Amino acid sequence: MKSDTVTKGIETAPQRSLFNALGLTEEELSRPLVGIVSSYNEIVPGHMNIDKIVEAVKTGVAMAGGTPIVFPAIAVCDGIAMGHIGMKYSLVTRDLIADSTECMATAHQFDALVMVPNCDKNVPGLLMAAARVNVPTVFVSGGPMLAGHVNGQKTSLSSMFEAVGAYAAGKMDEAGVNDYVCNACPTCGSCSGMYTANSMNCLTEAIGMGLEGNGTIPAVYSQRIKLAKHAGMKVMELLEKNIRPRDILTEKAFMNALTVDMALGCSTNTMLHIPAIAHEAGVELNLDIANEISEKTPNLCHLAPAGHHYMEELNEAGGIYAVMKELDKKGLLYTDLITATGKTVAENIKDAKIINPEIIRPLDNPYSEKGGIAVLRGNIAPDSCVVKRSAVVEEMLVHEGPARVFDCEEDAIAAIRGGKIVEGDVVVIRYEGPKGGPGMREMLNPTSAIAGMGLGSSVALITDGRFSGASRGASIGHVSPEAAAGGPIGLIEEGDIIAIDIPANTINVKVSDEELAKRKEKFVPKEPKVKTGYLARYAKMVTSADKGAILKLD
């Protein structure tokens, strides 16, 4: 046992004296030490119930003969951090979470881990840590929020942000906005659409690091407590069989995750997180593979913001295993891979079935023949950019319009809410990338303002920043290289015509190569906006979005 380093032999007497100070008995120290990584806090709605999940995990570990010991991980609520300097601190926490968990797990020599995350950067951060530490590990999330209800319709956080845009356009009064405030987010849990948190929790299940239901069982259901107990028991089985994260997180497993991603229509943020997790597992992914997978993977689900279905309905319709079972009918998955259930993908999904064929559509009736995410390239984004194709209306899949250029999110929002953006425009927001932000802010406020003002079917938005999973419309993010790194998005001028062709996977500014070369000669990128503290260090170390915004060792 790894923990023998701190629990066995006369040499460990000093360590054992400290375990004694914790009140641990000799019997407890004779068993495997299992670290429970708790993301509980009182500021994130998706994490306020995690204390109960953690207690259930502890019960499961103890039932199976282990000694559970809890330590914390941080998490930021992207919704609360949205639209101000706080959003610069969201993506950067992914690496803080990975680093601190690696430190805690290794310093204390845990034999196994159960990760209990829920929200956006918390899930990939812990997956990165699992790959680094590489002791037997199971994930069990806090679970999704139930959908809200406003005016007799189910709703969610994306509708809340769009209500603010509707108010700015004079289409909703303050009482209407307050109705959303009080009813859009009715329970604890990760926000109820296929946003980044739920995307990552579903893909944790698809990639094999979580048990069935990890991504879809609502936070308030007692079934999630049972799931947590089973996760605690299961990690002891993985320890006995010596099944570790790097046995599960193989190149083929990442292909499975990308395939399920396309079928579900997940958040574009998965295109940042999957490469970063793969990198920690020793697998290098080229984002172009996403288009190859998308070409052959039908989009089977339209959850909010792409449609009017919510996580509770996906759960009732059969969950992630039902989606995977349908994809396997077309031979789209590798099914001989080992997972955290101790079984193969094929064994996991053999009894799954679609219960509601409108929530999870069968292969012969998909929402589209291609997957939910597209990677675009062109003279604006030679190293790629990303769009959630499944959340783009048909008339915006191909679009040309004049560039309306802004060097920060705040200026763009002021122009949108001030009525200065009109039909046909292409809003360009730059210097919001990993380095330029720093921190690559999400652009939910501008996309929601565009949608709320009725411009979602006529205005596009491109940025070297990123988008919330709650964003919809022709929202194209992760433009690489970013402006702060000298990328050509920094060369675009007001009024330049931008041509977007999502089916063809292209994005270009209609300016000659000669003119772009002249502009580049004079171009001096702006310095990152924050020059002190963690963000300043992050800006110096972070790579571009197409590389997953990972931190460079040099």
Side-chain angles (χ1 to χ4, degrees):
M1 285 292 177
K2 192 173 183 180
S3 62
D4 289 355
T5 308
V6 292
T7 61
K8 299 290 191 299
I10 194 66
E11 300 85 359
T12 70
Q15 287 91 339
R16 284 185 283 120
S17 73
L18 294 169
F19 284 122
N20 180 71
L22 291 171
L24 292 176
T25 65
E26 291 181 5
E27 291 82 1
E28 286 173 302
L29 293 180
S30 70
R31 300 169 184 164
L33 301 186
V34 180
I36 316 297
V37 186
S38 171
S39 304
Y40 169 76
N41 62 50
E42 295 183 342
I43 188 63
V44 185
H47 292 237
M48 62 182 287
N49 65 315
I50 280 179
D51 57 338
K52 297 174 179 61
I53 304 296
V54 166
E55 286 303 314
V57 171
K58 289 174 66 178
T59 298
V61 168
M63 287 168 64
T67 298
I69 301 175
V70 179
F71 65 88
I74 63 168
V76 163
C77 177
D78 279 19
I80 295 174
M82 195 70 65
H84 56 89
I85 192 172
M87 180 45 69
K88 294 178 185 292
Y89 287 87
S90 172
L91 178 61
V92 305
T93 64
R94 186 185 71 182
D95 295 274
L96 284 174
I97 291 162
D99 292 348
S100 59
T101 303
E102 174 194 0
C103 292
M104 289 291 289
T106 306
H108 301 105
Q109 293 290 284
F110 287 107
D111 298 303
L113 298 168
V114 181
M115 307 289 198
V116 190
N118 211 24
C119 289
D120 294 30
K121 313 313 163 304
N122 182 239
V123 183
L126 290 179
L127 281 164
M128 290 163 68
R132 284 188 204 171
V133 177
N134 202 35
V135 297
T137 302
V138 176
F139 276 66
V140 55
S141 75
M145 185 183 289
L146 294 179
H149 290 82
V150 177
N151 298 324
Q153 300 293 320
K154 283 188 175 182
T155 190
S156 61
L157 183 66
S158 51
S159 299
M160 178 72 258
F161 276 88
E162 289 176 17
V164 176
Y167 176 82
K171 297 181 178 182
M172 186 180 294
D173 61 16
E174 189 173 349
V177 173
N178 196 54
D179 197 10
Y180 277 91
V181 169
C182 295
N183 297 293
C185 299
T187 73
C188 63
S190 48
C191 297
S192 56
M194 189 55 78
Y195 310 146
T196 306
N198 292 326
S199 294
M200 290 308 304
N201 283 323
C202 289
L203 295 186
T204 298
E205 193 175 332
I207 209 168
M209 288 297 293
L211 308 185
E212 182 178 9
N214 176 72
T216 60
I217 298 170
V220 295
Y221 284 13
S222 298
Q223 189 182 357
R224 182 151 294 273
I225 300 296
K226 293 170 66 176
L227 178 70
K229 291 176 182 175
H230 284 132
M233 290 185 271
K234 185 60 67 175
V235 81
M236 297 303 296
E237 179 186 331
L238 297 184
L239 181 59
E240 181 181 351
K241 294 178 177 178
N242 196 29
I243 297 173
R244 298 168 182 253
R246 288 197 177 203
D247 299 323
I248 297 168
L249 296 172
T250 63
E251 184 175 2
K252 289 180 178 179
F254 286 104
M255 296 303 105
N256 281 354
L258 285 168
T259 300
V260 175
D261 191 334
M262 297 300 170
L264 291 173
C266 290
S267 163
T268 52
N269 280 315
T270 60
M271 295 295 105
L272 277 178
H273 301 321
I274 291 176
I277 298 160
H279 175 76
E280 296 292 351
V283 176
E284 297 304 320
L285 291 181
N286 184 326
L287 275 187
D288 287 336
I289 194 68
N291 283 341
E292 294 178 31
I293 291 173
S294 181
E295 283 293 320
K296 59 186 180 182
T297 305
N299 179 219
L300 304 181
C301 301
H302 260 197
L303 281 81
H308 299 289
H309 301 147
Y310 298 88
M311 294 304 297
E312 63 206 65
E313 294 167 278
L314 178 59
N315 186 62
E316 293 160 7
I320 302 308
Y321 280 10
V323 175
M324 295 176 73
K325 181 70 174 289
E326 194 67 14
L327 293 171
D328 188 44
K329 292 178 182 177
K330 198 176 175 182
L332 295 175
L333 297 177
Y334 296 99
T335 59
D336 60 342
L337 310 180
I338 195 65
T339 72
T341 66
K343 301 176 182 177
T344 64
V345 172
E347 291 173 310
N348 288 342
I349 67 175
K350 66 182 177 67
D351 296 324
K353 60 182 178 180
I354 296 174
I355 297 169
N356 186 332
E358 185 56 30
I359 308 299
I360 304 172
R361 289 195 173 182
L363 291 172
D364 59 5
N365 183 36
Y367 282 100
S368 67
E369 293 293 340
K370 294 184 179 181
I373 290 178
V375 176
L376 316 183
R377 289 180 187 267
N379 64 5
I380 293 175
D383 290 344
S384 78
C385 57
V386 178
V387 64
K388 187 171 183 174
R389 180 187 357 222
S390 59
V392 180
V393 294
E394 187 74 25
E395 55 266 38
M396 288 298 290
L397 290 172
V398 178
H399 179 75
E400 282 193 16
R404 305 299 309 280
V405 182
F406 305 92
D407 286 348
C408 68
E409 178 189 9
E410 289 83 356
D411 291 350
I413 292 171
I416 295 165
R417 291 180 179 165
K420 296 179 181 178
I421 302 302
V422 299
E423 291 185 10
D425 284 348
V426 178
V427 177
V428 178
I429 307 177
R430 58 197 182 190
Y431 295 102
E432 291 287 5
K435 185 181 298 293
M440 203 179 184
R441 287 194 288 183
E442 287 184 343
M443 303 289 153
L444 181 55
N445 273 339
T447 59
S448 298
I450 288 169
M453 297 181 78
L455 297 171
S457 60
S458 61
V459 170
L461 192 156
I462 68 173
T463 180
D464 52 11
R466 61 195 178 91
F467 295 106
S468 165
S471 292
R472 62 187 176 99
S475 304
I476 300 166
H478 307 192
V479 170
S480 301
E482 61 178 293
I489 188 174
L491 306 179
I492 298 172
E493 295 181 357
E494 186 80 9
D496 285 348
I497 300 301
I498 292 177
I500 300 164
D501 191 333
I502 295 173
N505 303 116
T506 62
I507 181 167
N508 291 286
V509 57
K510 298 182 81 172
V511 173
S512 69
D513 291 344
E514 293 77 14
E515 173 61 22
L516 285 177
K518 288 179 184 177
R519 293 181 187 181
K520 189 168 183 63
E521 286 178 9
K522 304 174 185 175
F523 180 48
V524 179
K526 294 184 177 182
E527 290 288 320
K529 302 179 182 76
V530 180
K531 302 183 185 302
T532 59
Y534 180 64
L535 287 179
R537 297 199 302 276
Y538 182 87
K540 288 183 181 296
M541 297 175 67
V542 70
T543 62
S544 64
D546 66 295
K547 303 293 191 298
I550 60 174
L551 301 184
K552 296 177 292 188
L553 292 177
D554 58 356

